[in-house]
Amino acid sequence: MEATPEKKKRVRQIIRTLKKEYPDARCSLDHTSPLELLVATILSAQCTDERVNLVTADLFRKYRTWEDYASAPPAELERDIHSTGFFRNKAKAIQGACRMIGERHGGRVPRSMEELLELPGVARKTANVVLGNAYGIASGVVVDTHVARLSERLGLSAEKQPEKIERDLAVLVPETDWIVFPHLLIAHGRKICKARTPLCGECPVAKLCPSAFKFDGAKAKA
Ligand code: SF4
């Protein structure tokens, strides 16, 4: 999709408006360190952030270092993360990533996209989440289901694959907003631009949105 100067201007207006609307928009996965955020992000695949936060409240008390995860009996870690779903694959990814963090990175979660992508179970989205929110490094734009849906509705990308959507957004969104932008869209997607029934009548960016009131289930303000 072409990134015209008009479209770039419209994106800046959308960002400005959403920043006013959601001044506290931030990563909703609870964490106090890059390792905790990495684990929480792996757990968040196909699971709500609320559920992940419930699980990690206990998990992070029990597992404090990469070694704690790497040396745990797989069945025990699987049990501890069971309710996030896909627990076998997730446990395997967490243990594999932690082993590599210990063996190759001196126990520290790496700070580059290249190194993060080498960790088992870590794809571009997870790497972007960790770099942006644990290290403040704008490596790209996180694309989850909310970001994908809103990007399409707002006319920012017609792509379906997250990496292609990210490519479109990286051209349109100023680099200084790459980290906050997904948090703004996620907050807006949860509150107003919902998957089934976007509340266009209550939407502060309706005037900037080509899909306003065109969606079948869109509700006007009562
Ligand atoms: S106008 Fe409607 S479709 Fe567009 S962003 Fe707002 S809620 Fe979503």
Side-chain angles (χ1 to χ4, degrees), residues 150 153-154 188 192-193 198-200 203 205-206 209 211-213 215:
L150 269 72
R153 287 181 184 170
L154 287 164
H188 193 53
I192 304 283
C193 193
L199 308 173
C200 300
C203 179
V205 291
C209 177
S211 308
F213 303 104
F215 197 86

Side-chain angles (χ1 to χ4, degrees), residues 173-184:
V173 176
E175 198 172 330
T176 46
D177 287 320
W178 280 5
I179 296 172
V180 77
F181 185 72
H183 299 316
L184 295 170

Side-chain angles (χ1 to χ4, degrees), residues 25 29 34-35 54 59 63 65 72 76 81 116 119 125 134 137 139 154 173 180-181 185 194 198 205 207 209 221-222:
L29 292 169
L35 180 63
L54 278 176
L59 193 75
Y63 301 81
T65 67
E76 187 174 338
I81 62 169
L116 278 167
L119 301 179
K125 180 186 155 223
I137 298 169
S139 53
L154 287 164
V173 176
V180 77
F181 185 72
L185 290 199
K194 301 178 187 202
V205 291
K207 284 194 181 130
C209 177
K221 200 170 190 171

Side-chain angles (χ1 to χ4, degrees), residues 7-221:
K7 194 184 276 184
K8 286 188 176 180
K9 188 177 165 200
R10 189 166 63 83
V11 171
R12 284 198 299 275
Q13 288 172 323
I14 290 170
I15 293 171
R16 212 177 309 131
T17 307
L18 293 181
K19 277 183 179 174
K20 275 191 207 140
E21 197 70 17
Y22 309 105
D24 299 322
R26 59 174 195 89
C27 179
S28 51
L29 292 169
D30 294 339
H31 65 280
T32 61
S33 68
L35 180 63
E36 287 187 355
L37 184 55
L38 175 65
V39 170
T41 310
I42 291 173
L43 294 179
S44 72
Q46 310 288 321
C47 183
T48 64
D49 291 355
E50 289 73 22
R51 162 65 52 190
V52 172
N53 288 340
L54 278 176
V55 169
T56 56
D58 291 331
L59 193 75
F60 293 163
R61 267 195 290 272
K62 181 171 172 184
Y63 301 81
R64 294 183 180 272
T65 67
W66 68 270
E67 285 165 302
D68 293 340
Y69 290 105
S71 64
E76 187 174 338
L77 181 57
E78 286 173 7
R79 217 167 30 243
D80 290 336
I81 62 169
H82 186 273
S83 66
T84 67
F86 302 97
F87 55 93
R88 282 204 184 92
N89 283 345
K90 289 178 181 177
K92 215 168 163 189
I94 291 169
Q95 291 200 296
C98 283
R99 267 182 215 121
M100 200 179 274
I101 286 168
E103 286 162 11
R104 291 205 200 157
H105 302 286
R108 298 218 170 146
V109 176
R111 302 171 67 103
S112 76
M113 176 62 75
E114 210 181 15
E115 290 170 313
L116 278 167
L117 289 178
E118 283 172 6
L119 301 179
V122 174
R124 198 173 160 85
K125 180 186 155 223
T126 301
N128 269 333
V129 170
V130 171
L131 289 170
N133 298 283
Y135 291 130
I137 298 169
S139 53
V141 184
V142 172
V143 177
D144 74 348
T145 52
H146 292 290
V147 176
R149 182 176 77 253
L150 269 72
S151 295
E152 186 181 13
R153 287 181 184 170
L154 287 164
L156 309 183
S157 178
E159 300 289 350
K160 299 286 176 212
Q161 289 173 15
E163 296 201 359
K164 290 185 178 169
I165 297 171
E166 182 184 353
R167 224 173 291 152
D168 284 342
L169 295 177
V171 177
L172 290 170
V173 176
E175 198 172 330
T176 46
D177 287 320
W178 280 5
I179 296 172
V180 77
F181 185 72
H183 299 316
L184 295 170
L185 290 199
I186 290 167
H188 193 53
R190 285 185 176 142
K191 190 174 168 202
I192 304 283
C193 193
K194 301 178 187 202
R196 290 194 182 187
T197 49
L199 308 173
C200 300
E202 299 173 30
C203 179
V205 291
K207 284 194 181 130
L208 300 164
C209 177
S211 308
F213 303 104
K214 287 185 184 159
F215 197 86
D216 276 350
K219 280 186 187 165
K221 200 170 190 171

